Amino acid sequence: MTVIRLLDIRDTPLSVEEVFAAVGSHAAGGTTLFVGTVREQDHGKAVTKLSYSAHPSAIDELRRVAEKVAADFPVTALAAVHRVGDLELGDIAVIVAVACPHRGEAFEASRRLIDDLKSQVPIWKHQVFADGSTEWVGACE
């Protein structure tokens, strides 16, 4: 069985339980789970809503990022899902989970997975602020 258990970009709500279950492994002594949610402010400005959009190549880039993390760390299981579409405050935007033999490796691999996902996978966030202004925040920064 591959260590990459779940990769997806969805326009439906994400499930922490689904992602956690996907990385279950008796070989793992440590499992990390990161959940990114829509926050109420950014750059000191109140956020009223946001939407995510993804380039058609985003899932392929997500797979490339996941494969690199799995190659660089002793990963026993890995999962990553990102939401697209309109999201409200508090909604889950992204979940990554990594299982490794030891906790330190799991923390490092998880950090690399979310950081590389955010910097290399072509997913963009359009934020709408309470003052009426908007901002695009791009991946691949």
Side-chain angles (χ1 to χ4, degrees), residues 13-131:
L14 305 182
S15 165
V16 170
E17 293 79 12
E18 176 193 22
V19 174
F20 184 70
V23 297
S25 170
H26 293 294
T31 301
T32 59
L33 182 74
F34 172 80
V35 179
T37 57
V38 178
R39 61 184 175 267
E40 65 184 2
Q41 68 169 330
D42 195 18
H43 309 298
K45 296 171 71 172
V47 174
T48 58
K49 64 180 179 176
L50 61 76
S51 63
Y52 283 96
S53 57
H55 188 273
S57 68
I59 193 70
D60 295 330
E61 289 302 309
L62 179 56
R63 178 161 299 282
R64 184 188 59 73
V65 163
E67 288 171 348
K68 179 77 168 116
V69 169
D72 289 350
F73 295 91
V75 172
T76 60
L78 178 151
V81 292
H82 202 295
R83 183 136 176 227
V84 293
D86 296 333
L87 283 77
E88 300 295 328
L89 297 179
D91 284 350
I92 297 173
V94 62
I95 307 170
V96 300
V98 178
C100 291
H102 302 282
R103 71 178 177 273
E105 299 159 340
F107 278 117
E108 290 176 28
S110 180
R111 177 69 183 249
R112 168 86 68 76
L113 180 58
I114 188 62
D115 286 351
D116 289 356
L117 184 161
K118 288 298 193 180
S119 68
Q120 298 175 28
V121 178
I123 297 173
W124 298 275
K125 175 172 61 174
H126 184 233
Q127 301 188 109
V128 178
F129 298 103
D131 67 5

